[in-house]
Amino acid sequence: MSDDCLFCKILKGEIPSTKVYEDEKVYAFKDINPLAKEHYLFIHRSHTANVNEMSDESPEQIAEVYSGISKFTKENGLVDSGYRVVTNIGKHGCQTVFHTHFHVLGGEQLKGFGS
Ligand code: 5GP
Ligand code: ZN
């Protein structure tokens, strides 16, 4: 946990969020500014700043987050229609919250990278 981290505050319940999934290791909630009909943020309960740090320090956490994404998207039909997972890193990636998070976007046809 990091005291001045927004998503750690969400994990502690100090800032409200709309939960969509949780297990022992992972928490997921609706993005406050959705960029698709369905837009969720999946985070690990342990604080790291970005996915590179997570990979270097605790690579098992990547699998734990993805396991949550897999269960959630199967249970909610997203996997049938398809969806996108995005994790932004640093300035050029437009990362604004420095607690590793994976955007899950779907619920409608998304634009392809070439269109
Ligand atoms: P990033 O830009 O770092 O990849 O993504 C951060 C995401 O967190 C953004 O999509 C933004 O809308 C979302 N966000 C920022 N503050 C809050 C908040 O207080 N609650 C929720 N649910 N989402 C937030
Ligand atoms: Zn944090």
Short mmCIF file of all heavy atoms in Angstrom, two decimals, residues 6-7 10 29-33 39 41 88 94-97 101 103, ligand 1:
data_model
loop_
_atom_site.label_atom_id
_atom_site.label_comp_id
_atom_site.label_asym_id
_atom_site.label_seq_id
_atom_site.Cartn_x
_atom_site.Cartn_y
_atom_site.Cartn_z
N LEU A 6 -3.90 6.86 -5.36
CA LEU A 6 -5.36 6.87 -5.54
C LEU A 6 -5.95 5.46 -5.50
O LEU A 6 -6.98 5.22 -4.85
CB LEU A 6 -5.66 7.53 -6.89
CG LEU A 6 -7.12 7.66 -7.30
CD1 LEU A 6 -7.84 8.68 -6.43
CD2 LEU A 6 -7.23 8.06 -8.77
N PHE A 7 -5.32 4.51 -6.20
CA PHE A 7 -5.92 3.17 -6.27
C PHE A 7 -5.70 2.40 -4.96
O PHE A 7 -6.52 1.55 -4.61
CB PHE A 7 -5.40 2.40 -7.47
CG PHE A 7 -5.95 2.91 -8.80
CD1 PHE A 7 -5.48 2.42 -10.02
CD2 PHE A 7 -6.95 3.88 -8.83
CE1 PHE A 7 -5.99 2.88 -11.22
CE2 PHE A 7 -7.46 4.36 -10.04
CZ PHE A 7 -6.98 3.85 -11.24
N ILE A 10 -8.61 3.51 -3.03
CA ILE A 10 -9.80 2.76 -3.46
C ILE A 10 -9.79 1.37 -2.81
O ILE A 10 -10.80 0.90 -2.30
CB ILE A 10 -9.86 2.69 -5.01
CG1 ILE A 10 -10.36 4.04 -5.54
CG2 ILE A 10 -10.74 1.53 -5.49
CD1 ILE A 10 -10.51 4.15 -7.04
N PHE A 29 -12.91 -2.55 -10.84
CA PHE A 29 -13.98 -1.56 -10.67
C PHE A 29 -14.20 -0.80 -11.97
O PHE A 29 -13.35 -0.84 -12.88
CB PHE A 29 -13.64 -0.61 -9.51
CG PHE A 29 -12.29 0.04 -9.63
CD1 PHE A 29 -12.16 1.36 -10.06
CD2 PHE A 29 -11.12 -0.65 -9.30
CE1 PHE A 29 -10.91 1.97 -10.17
CE2 PHE A 29 -9.86 -0.06 -9.41
CZ PHE A 29 -9.76 1.25 -9.84
N LYS A 30 -15.35 -0.12 -12.05
CA LYS A 30 -15.68 0.64 -13.25
C LYS A 30 -14.81 1.88 -13.35
O LYS A 30 -14.62 2.58 -12.34
CB LYS A 30 -17.16 1.08 -13.21
CG LYS A 30 -18.12 -0.06 -13.42
CD LYS A 30 -19.53 0.48 -13.58
CE LYS A 30 -20.47 -0.68 -13.79
NZ LYS A 30 -21.88 -0.27 -13.90
N ASP A 31 -14.30 2.15 -14.54
CA ASP A 31 -13.56 3.40 -14.77
C ASP A 31 -14.53 4.57 -14.66
O ASP A 31 -15.64 4.53 -15.18
CB ASP A 31 -12.88 3.37 -16.15
CG ASP A 31 -11.83 4.45 -16.28
OD1 ASP A 31 -12.18 5.66 -16.26
OD2 ASP A 31 -10.64 4.10 -16.38
N ILE A 32 -14.09 5.62 -13.98
CA ILE A 32 -14.95 6.79 -13.73
C ILE A 32 -15.22 7.57 -15.03
O ILE A 32 -16.21 8.29 -15.14
CB ILE A 32 -14.28 7.71 -12.67
CG1 ILE A 32 -15.30 8.56 -11.96
CG2 ILE A 32 -13.19 8.57 -13.27
CD1 ILE A 32 -14.74 9.26 -10.72
N ASN A 33 -14.38 7.38 -16.02
CA ASN A 33 -14.51 8.09 -17.30
C ASN A 33 -14.45 7.07 -18.44
O ASN A 33 -13.44 6.95 -19.13
CB ASN A 33 -13.37 9.12 -17.42
CG ASN A 33 -13.46 9.91 -18.70
OD1 ASN A 33 -14.54 10.10 -19.27
ND2 ASN A 33 -12.30 10.35 -19.20
N HIS A 39 -16.01 -0.50 -19.42
CA HIS A 39 -14.61 -0.09 -19.19
C HIS A 39 -14.31 -0.30 -17.71
O HIS A 39 -14.85 0.38 -16.84
CB HIS A 39 -14.44 1.39 -19.56
CG HIS A 39 -13.01 1.87 -19.48
ND1 HIS A 39 -12.62 3.10 -19.92
CD2 HIS A 39 -11.88 1.27 -19.02
CE1 HIS A 39 -11.31 3.26 -19.72
NE2 HIS A 39 -10.84 2.16 -19.16
N LEU A 41 -11.25 -1.38 -14.62
CA LEU A 41 -9.83 -1.34 -14.25
C LEU A 41 -9.55 -2.50 -13.32
O LEU A 41 -10.21 -2.64 -12.28
CB LEU A 41 -9.51 -0.01 -13.56
CG LEU A 41 -9.76 1.25 -14.40
CD1 LEU A 41 -9.61 2.51 -13.54
CD2 LEU A 41 -8.81 1.30 -15.59
N ASN A 88 -1.14 1.27 -19.65
CA ASN A 88 -0.34 2.42 -20.07
C ASN A 88 0.87 2.57 -19.16
O ASN A 88 0.76 2.36 -17.95
CB ASN A 88 -1.18 3.69 -20.01
CG ASN A 88 -2.34 3.66 -20.99
OD1 ASN A 88 -2.21 3.14 -22.10
ND2 ASN A 88 -3.49 4.20 -20.59
N CYS A 94 0.60 7.90 -21.66
CA CYS A 94 -0.50 8.63 -20.99
C CYS A 94 -0.93 7.98 -19.69
O CYS A 94 -2.12 7.97 -19.35
CB CYS A 94 -1.71 8.82 -21.91
SG CYS A 94 -1.36 9.79 -23.36
N GLN A 95 0.02 7.42 -18.94
CA GLN A 95 -0.32 6.89 -17.61
C GLN A 95 -0.56 8.06 -16.67
O GLN A 95 0.27 8.98 -16.58
CB GLN A 95 0.81 6.00 -17.09
CG GLN A 95 0.47 5.34 -15.76
CD GLN A 95 1.59 4.45 -15.23
OE1 GLN A 95 2.69 4.42 -15.78
NE2 GLN A 95 1.30 3.73 -14.16
N THR A 96 -1.69 8.03 -15.97
CA THR A 96 -2.01 9.12 -15.04
C THR A 96 -2.09 8.64 -13.60
O THR A 96 -2.01 9.44 -12.68
CB THR A 96 -3.35 9.79 -15.41
OG1 THR A 96 -4.38 8.81 -15.39
CG2 THR A 96 -3.28 10.45 -16.78
N VAL A 97 -2.30 7.33 -13.40
CA VAL A 97 -2.36 6.78 -12.04
C VAL A 97 -1.23 5.76 -11.92
O VAL A 97 -1.16 4.80 -12.72
CB VAL A 97 -3.72 6.12 -11.74
CG1 VAL A 97 -3.72 5.52 -10.34
CG2 VAL A 97 -4.85 7.14 -11.88
N HIS A 101 -2.35 -0.86 -13.46
CA HIS A 101 -3.74 -1.21 -13.74
C HIS A 101 -3.88 -1.64 -15.19
O HIS A 101 -3.14 -1.19 -16.07
CB HIS A 101 -4.69 -0.05 -13.41
CG HIS A 101 -4.31 1.25 -14.06
ND1 HIS A 101 -3.30 2.05 -13.57
CD2 HIS A 101 -4.79 1.87 -15.16
CE1 HIS A 101 -3.19 3.13 -14.34
NE2 HIS A 101 -4.07 3.03 -15.31
N HIS A 103 -6.67 -1.79 -18.13
CA HIS A 103 -7.98 -1.39 -18.64
C HIS A 103 -8.58 -2.57 -19.38
O HIS A 103 -7.91 -3.18 -20.23
CB HIS A 103 -7.84 -0.24 -19.64
CG HIS A 103 -7.26 1.02 -19.08
ND1 HIS A 103 -8.02 2.10 -18.72
CD2 HIS A 103 -5.97 1.38 -18.84
CE1 HIS A 103 -7.25 3.09 -18.29
NE2 HIS A 103 -5.99 2.67 -18.34
P1 5GP B 1 -4.26 5.68 -16.98
O1 5GP B 1 -4.48 6.97 -17.70
O2 5GP B 1 -3.30 5.86 -15.82
O3 5GP B 1 -3.91 4.52 -17.85
O4 5GP B 1 -5.68 5.28 -16.38
C1 5GP B 1 -6.19 5.80 -15.20
C2 5GP B 1 -7.68 5.60 -15.27
O5 5GP B 1 -8.21 5.80 -13.96
C3 5GP B 1 -8.40 6.60 -16.20
O6 5GP B 1 -9.08 5.87 -17.23
C4 5GP B 1 -9.35 7.35 -15.26
O7 5GP B 1 -10.60 7.61 -15.86
C5 5GP B 1 -9.47 6.41 -14.08
N1 5GP B 1 -9.71 7.08 -12.81
C6 5GP B 1 -9.05 8.17 -12.31
N2 5GP B 1 -9.52 8.49 -11.09
C7 5GP B 1 -10.49 7.58 -10.80
C8 5GP B 1 -11.36 7.40 -9.67
O8 5GP B 1 -11.33 8.12 -8.67
N3 5GP B 1 -12.24 6.37 -9.74
C9 5GP B 1 -12.32 5.54 -10.83
N4 5GP B 1 -13.23 4.56 -10.79
N5 5GP B 1 -11.51 5.68 -11.90
C10 5GP B 1 -10.62 6.69 -11.89
#
